[in-house]
Amino acid sequence: MKKYVLLSTFILIMPICLVSQDLEAILEEESSDTTLVVASTFNGTRLLNGHSVETRKTGVLEFLISHRFGRVNSGFDQLFGLDESNIRFGFEYAFNDNVTLALGRSSFEKTFDGYVKYRLLYQRTGVKPFPLSITLFGSATEKTIKDYLPENKPTFSERLSYTGQVLIASKINQNLSLQVMPTFVHFNTVPESNDPHDMVALGLGTRIKISKRVSINAEYYYNLNPFESIDVKNSIAFGVDIETGGHIFQIILGNSVSMIEKGFIAETTGSFFKGDIHFGFNISRAFQIKKTK
Amino acid sequence: MKKIHLIVFALLFYHGINAQDKFLTKEGYVSFFSHSLVEDIKADNNQVLSVIDTVTGKIAIQMLMRSFMFKKALMQEHFNENYVESYKYPKATFSGEIINFSDLNEENDETEIIGTLTVHGEEKEIRTKVNVEIREDGIRLKGDFNVDVADFKIKIPSIVANNIAKTIKVTFELDHKPYK
């Protein structure tokens, strides 16, 4: 008998407890299963010279104009490097959120480049968190400058070189992002016979936001087995990133003149701390070609 | 003894009915629209959570700012990063009451909804007309209202001031189903 009274009381009270359950509490409970992708690890698809893990979303065409001037220590006669200008034009198209294909042309050594970027993994927070963003990058470049004697004309394949990268990044917090870039570079043709055709490098990069739209970026590539016939330096660059709507401006100080991976990772000769610094900038403009929905 | 059984069952039944006094949706629709001479901007959110207590007429709504979908992907990114600061204020919420809920017509009726809208960490009292459709298997709320961007301390840089309206039209359609 007592048992039933107890049970009845319990059942009678239960709905009252339910009624008093806060509506907000129900919403909290119902929304507790969300996992969110961490967005905007970097402002743009470029850290400075090299790539960031970011890819554009489906249907975005990005147009990039990049400049690297001559060395700032070349004196007044060269207007501190500004007389000498190297330009790269690039078009990148995002076929979907994860795959971008691109073509570019650099005035430096009249080089064409094409690459594919594949966003492999996204950093996530929530119920199923994951700490890293990973993007795969592969490029081929063709050097078309006629810097050879007529009898030594290289074949098409001799003018090619390749780069493969695994870009691994983490947005530590809203203001700090870090990236490491294990890199492999292959040259079909090398300057001297004792130079390596295959090179391994490790890149490190960071973005430090100083306001909502401005950040300071740094990028360094350590080349593990550089060319032996030329005095190669590791590529180092510092820059300021300014984002305004569909544009991104990057102002760069670095020791590399080339704006493509095989160039700045393997063929940089400037010594940053001796003043062999190239002033430069990247300007990117994104166009939504295909609507997202 | 049998009587007690009966009482227990009756109580259980009563509980069963009582659990029906809450209606929930996890796929509610909220959109906002900004009209300016330069461009029209629209964003849709189809993952809005809303719950109604039919006994009191109280309603609570919440949505992730990140779930607003724009036509331009970059616009969506900037909306979250630079305008509503979703990393700091991930959710927009509304907590309020449907006026005279218990007196509403079964099929289709209009009343008012009042409550507090919180966006970007800023609270604002909202009072707006709402169309209520009560069915056996659900409650649908429909309506729209205007809000001023400035009320929510969302900073718009002067360079894009002409692209974004000062007043934003918010439209909602929430189709609730019985909760549990």
Side-chain angles (χ1 to χ4, degrees):
Chain A
M1 190 66 193
K2 244 184 187 170
K3 211 166 67 183
Y4 281 105
V5 172
L6 214 69
L7 191 64
S8 310
T9 318
F10 179 66
I11 291 167
L12 194 69
I13 287 168
M14 215 162 69
I16 297 164
C17 293
L18 271 177
V19 168
S20 67
Q21 188 187 2
D22 202 10
L23 291 182
E24 267 83 12
I26 295 176
L27 292 186
E28 281 312 311
E29 196 191 310
E30 291 295 325
S31 66
S32 60
D33 59 345
T34 46
T35 297
L36 278 178
V37 163
V38 173
S40 309
T41 306
F42 296 100
N43 294 359
T45 58
R46 293 300 192 293
L47 197 50
L48 287 167
N49 287 314
H51 280 264
S52 73
V53 285
E54 297 293 342
T55 52
R56 289 297 178 205
K57 299 283 183 287
T58 309
V60 173
L61 177 73
E62 192 164 12
F63 177 49
L64 282 122
I65 306 173
S66 311
H67 265 281
R68 298 294 181 273
F69 294 100
R71 292 175 177 177
V72 294
N73 61 357
S74 56
F76 181 71
D77 188 45
Q78 293 285 330
L79 200 66
F80 308 101
L82 296 185
D83 281 357
E84 186 195 323
S85 166
N86 301 287
I87 188 166
R88 179 183 177 276
F89 293 105
F91 284 99
E92 314 189 354
Y93 185 70
F95 284 87
N96 60 47
D97 288 358
N98 301 326
V99 177
T100 300
L101 285 181
L103 282 174
R105 169 40 163 85
S106 304
S107 65
F108 184 70
E109 295 184 335
K110 299 186 188 299
T111 307
F112 288 90
D113 64 277
Y115 62 80
V116 56
K117 239 173 133 172
Y118 177 68
R119 183 93 187 220
L120 187 68
L121 287 168
Y122 287 87
Q123 189 178 347
R124 296 185 304 263
T125 56
V127 186
K128 291 176 191 158
F130 186 73
L132 302 171
S133 287
I134 301 178
T135 298
L136 305 179
F137 171 87
S139 82
T141 67
E142 187 206 4
K143 183 170 142 183
T144 64
I145 194 167
K146 295 180 176 64
D147 61 346
Y148 47 80
L149 299 170
E151 60 269 29
N152 295 337
K153 190 174 192 280
T155 63
F156 173 69
S157 100
E158 281 169 342
R159 293 198 294 259
L160 298 180
S161 44
Y162 309 93
T163 306
Q165 287 189 302
V166 183
L167 310 167
I168 306 162
S170 186
K171 189 174 185 176
I172 308 294
N173 58 44
Q174 187 59 22
N175 296 325
L176 177 67
S177 299
L178 300 175
Q179 183 172 285
V180 289
M181 307 80 97
T183 304
F184 175 80
V185 186
H186 175 83
F187 288 86
N188 279 359
T189 308
V190 291
E192 301 288 339
S193 57
N194 63 332
D195 284 326
H197 281 267
D198 298 316
M199 249 170 238
V200 177
L202 185 69
L204 296 170
T206 184
R207 175 189 79 167
I208 299 159
K209 272 195 147 183
I210 54 173
S211 81
K212 264 193 238 171
R213 290 172 177 82
V214 180
S215 73
I216 290 173
N217 294 5
E219 183 187 63
Y220 177 72
Y221 276 93
Y222 180 75
N223 195 336
L224 275 79
N225 55 328
F227 287 132
E228 282 163 24
S229 64
I230 42 177
D231 186 18
V232 174
K233 301 287 195 298
N234 289 322
S235 176
I236 184 165
F238 298 95
V240 178
D241 227 269
I242 304 156
E243 182 247 287
T244 63
H247 292 93
I248 296 168
F249 296 99
Q250 291 180 300
I251 299 158
I252 296 161
L253 292 172
N255 61 343
S256 307
V257 68
S258 176
M259 291 160 264
I260 48 178
E261 285 64 29
K262 72 105 188 171
F264 64 80
I265 293 169
E267 298 167 334
T268 292
T269 55
S271 177
F272 190 89
F273 296 102
K274 284 181 184 155
D276 300 337
I277 296 167
H278 299 266
F279 172 71
F281 57 82
N282 298 340
I283 297 172
S284 114
R285 169 77 207 177
F287 301 95
Q288 186 87 41
I289 300 293
K290 215 176 82 190
K291 299 281 178 263
T292 46
K293 46 165 195 180
Chain B
M1 205 60 178
K2 258 186 187 162
K3 256 186 199 162
I4 290 165
H5 272 286
L6 212 68
I7 291 167
V8 169
F9 277 120
L11 281 172
L12 268 173
F13 188 61
Y14 157 72
H15 173 199
I17 290 172
N18 212 17
Q20 293 284 303
D21 65 8
K22 289 197 183 62
F23 284 74
L24 174 97
T25 178
K26 293 173 87 171
E27 283 143 0
Y29 170 79
V30 169
S31 81
F32 65 81
F33 179 73
S34 152
H35 170 76
S36 74
L37 291 174
V38 184
E39 63 182 331
D40 288 344
I41 300 167
K42 188 171 180 273
D44 301 317
N45 190 333
N46 284 300
Q47 295 169 46
V48 178
L49 265 83
S50 173
V51 61
I52 301 174
D53 187 331
T54 52
V55 176
T56 58
K58 285 209 177 348
I59 178 166
I61 305 170
Q62 73 171 34
M63 67 209 78
L64 284 173
M65 299 311 278
R66 286 274 305 270
S67 302
F68 278 99
M69 296 293 156
F70 290 68
K71 282 202 174 69
K72 291 180 178 175
L74 215 55
M75 204 178 259
Q76 185 171 337
E77 202 173 314
H78 295 153
F79 167 76
N80 285 298
E81 285 286 306
N82 302 336
Y83 294 90
V84 295
E85 301 175 276
S86 302
Y87 52 92
K88 247 192 260 173
Y89 313 104
K91 285 172 185 170
T93 60
F94 179 85
S95 174
E97 197 180 335
I98 303 163
I99 307 286
N100 300 329
F101 184 81
S102 47
D103 302 334
L104 289 176
N105 268 337
E106 280 291 302
E107 282 189 355
N108 215 324
D109 210 346
E110 247 185 30
T111 179
E112 279 193 314
I113 186 165
I114 56 168
T116 311
L117 175 67
T118 309
V119 180
H120 193 238
E122 298 296 323
E123 292 183 354
K124 168 89 181 158
E125 291 301 314
I126 298 287
R127 185 181 185 111
T128 183
K129 267 192 191 145
V130 60
N131 181 281
V132 186
E133 189 187 322
I134 302 173
R135 283 167 283 118
E136 212 162 280
D137 63 336
I139 301 167
R140 189 205 302 267
L141 303 181
K142 264 166 81 171
D144 58 66
F145 57 92
N146 289 322
V147 290
D148 290 340
V149 179
D151 286 341
F152 299 98
K153 297 209 170 108
I154 297 167
K155 284 192 201 106
I156 295 171
S158 54
I159 191 167
V160 293
N162 291 330
N163 299 49
I164 300 167
K166 302 268 181 294
T167 303
I168 305 284
K169 184 181 175 185
V170 180
T171 308
F172 60 92
E173 184 169 344
L174 307 161
D175 202 356
H176 304 76
K177 299 272 176 257
Y179 177 57
K180 274 173 188 170

